[in-house]
Amino acid sequence: MQAAWLLGALVVPQLLGFSQGARGPEREWEGDWGGAQEEEREREALMLKHLQEALGLPTARGDENPEGTPEDKGAWETEEGHQGEEEEEAMPIPSSSPSPSPSPSPSPTPEDTVTYILGRLAGLDAGLHQLHVRLHVLDTRVVELTKGLRQLREAVGDTRDSVQALQEAQSRAEREHGRLEGCLKGLRLGHKCFLLSRDFEAQAAAQARCVARGGSLAQPADRQQMEALTRYLRAALAPYNWPVWLGVHDRRAEGLYLFENGQRVSFFAWHRAPSPESSATPHPLSPNQPNGGALENCVAQASDDGSWWDHDCERRLYYVCEYPF
């Protein structure tokens, strides 16, 4: 009995000491954990305030009191006290090395904010640099295209000049060819040659074609040329009688007959109706010429007898050109 009492006196104080020693580290661990959470909340609130100031955002009312209101703090302390008491009752004795707390996600610092803004600015600067490079390339391309367009215009101008020179040379060659053809195939008389064309043309169009061939509509200046032209036309168109355009008209003034070169006509061979001695009555289709007045202003020569008749200038007839020799 005395031995049992001595054993109880030795074991109970040791158990009591061990229980008190176990609760001491537990309270110390709880104090350290609460302080770490409080420090983390203060750091997050400070970082949020710096970020809002850097971005120009209004500061939230909650940031003015990062530690929370007294009511929140009291509720937290009360809840923490109850939780501590429950943990003292239900929690087993922790080991000598407490379990590590979960690491919170890192919060942005002012240096991170500045780095982010500088990175965005660097990206914008790189984009502007690329735009400048592309604008420079486009400007260079525009300059090249402008230069090419200028060269193309110069080439077009040179080509136009060449074409014009070629057309002038072709016109000269055509006039020379027409003159040679008129003298080789037609009637040569003195310093001019006559050539009949069997194409039906109005008087103005016939004159244009004669000019393009290096000549003009026939302009018999005297009776000798008139008789030679009559023989030529009779031989070319016999046995028919065809009117042939001459280069004689009175378009400028009625009754004032001019050649195509503007000289006044001094020799005429107008058709006259048969005299009463040769025929009892004149033929109704052969009245005296000219008889058309203002409606008939151009002169054609009959191929059978060489007489002159006035006709409407738009009538399409054969024509005879003359070429200088």
Side-chain angles (χ1 to χ4, degrees):
M1 184 68 178
Q2 188 176 3
W5 179 84
L6 181 60
L7 181 60
L10 292 175
V11 171
V12 170
Q14 291 180 0
L15 291 175
L16 292 177
F18 177 78
S19 176
Q20 292 178 0
R23 288 188 178 182
E26 180 181 357
R27 293 176 180 177
E28 183 179 358
W29 178 78
E30 291 178 356
D32 293 340
W33 171 252
Q37 288 184 341
E38 188 70 22
E39 184 179 356
E40 185 65 26
R41 285 197 299 272
E42 292 178 359
R43 182 181 178 184
E44 290 180 357
L46 184 61
M47 284 299 303
L48 180 60
K49 182 177 181 181
H50 284 304
L51 183 60
Q52 290 176 350
E53 290 178 356
L55 298 178
L57 300 175
T59 305
R61 295 182 60 184
D63 295 342
E64 297 177 358
N65 188 12
E67 297 180 359
T69 58
E71 293 80 1
D72 296 337
K73 186 180 293 186
W76 171 261
E77 291 178 353
T78 305
E79 182 180 357
E80 184 178 354
H82 289 295
Q83 184 179 1
E85 292 178 358
E86 292 177 358
E87 289 178 353
E88 288 179 359
E89 295 176 358
M91 185 176 180
I93 299 173
S95 60
S96 59
S97 59
S99 61
S101 61
S103 59
S105 59
S107 301
T109 61
E111 290 79 4
D112 297 336
T113 304
V114 173
T115 302
Y116 171 75
I117 295 174
L118 292 178
R120 292 298 300 273
L121 292 176
L124 293 176
D125 184 67
L128 289 176
H129 177 70
Q130 293 180 359
L131 288 177
H132 283 300
V133 171
R134 293 184 179 180
L135 288 176
H136 176 71
V137 172
L138 290 177
D139 185 58
T140 304
R141 185 59 177 167
V142 168
V143 171
E144 293 177 355
L145 291 177
T146 304
K147 184 178 179 180
L149 182 60
R150 188 184 304 111
Q151 294 176 354
L152 183 60
R153 287 178 177 175
E154 293 176 357
V156 169
D158 296 340
T159 305
R160 187 184 297 112
D161 295 340
S162 301
V163 170
Q164 184 176 0
L166 182 61
Q167 290 176 349
E168 293 176 356
Q170 183 179 2
S171 299
R172 290 193 300 269
E174 186 175 358
R175 289 193 298 268
E176 186 66 20
H177 180 267
R179 186 180 65 83
L180 293 175
E181 184 181 21
C183 292
L184 291 175
K185 295 182 178 181
L187 172 65
R188 178 182 174 184
L189 184 63
H191 296 288
K192 64 174 60 176
C193 303
F194 295 102
L195 180 63
L196 174 67
S197 175
R198 298 175 183 267
D199 296 329
F200 291 100
E201 295 288 352
Q203 199 270 352
Q207 169 64 12
R209 294 190 66 175
C210 289
V211 171
R213 301 284 291 175
S216 176
L217 281 175
Q219 305 173 102
D222 51 30
R223 183 172 295 276
Q224 181 182 2
Q225 293 184 10
M226 180 66 189
E227 292 176 353
L229 183 58
T230 301
R231 291 192 299 269
Y232 170 67
L233 294 178
R234 184 186 300 119
L237 298 175
Y240 305 103
N241 181 21
W242 291 95
V244 179
W245 284 126
L246 299 177
V248 180
H249 61 86
D250 66 342
R251 287 190 296 260
R252 184 176 299 179
E254 180 63 27
L256 178 62
Y257 289 91
L258 303 173
F259 289 119
E260 290 294 338
N261 58 10
Q263 294 181 359
R264 188 169 182 174
V265 179
S266 59
F267 169 78
F268 297 96
W270 295 113
H271 172 76
R272 292 294 180 241
S275 61
E277 292 79 8
S278 61
S279 177
T281 57
H283 196 282
L285 298 180
S286 61
N288 292 333
Q289 298 295 317
N291 67 339
L295 299 178
E296 298 178 348
N297 297 318
C298 295
V299 177
Q301 179 179 339
S303 64
D304 58 350
D305 60 356
S307 60
W308 289 10
W309 296 65
D310 62 345
H311 292 280
D312 182 7
C313 296
E314 298 301 322
R315 185 178 178 182
R316 298 168 64 85
L317 304 175
Y318 287 169
Y319 57 95
V320 58
C321 298
E322 71 172 35
Y323 301 94
F325 178 74

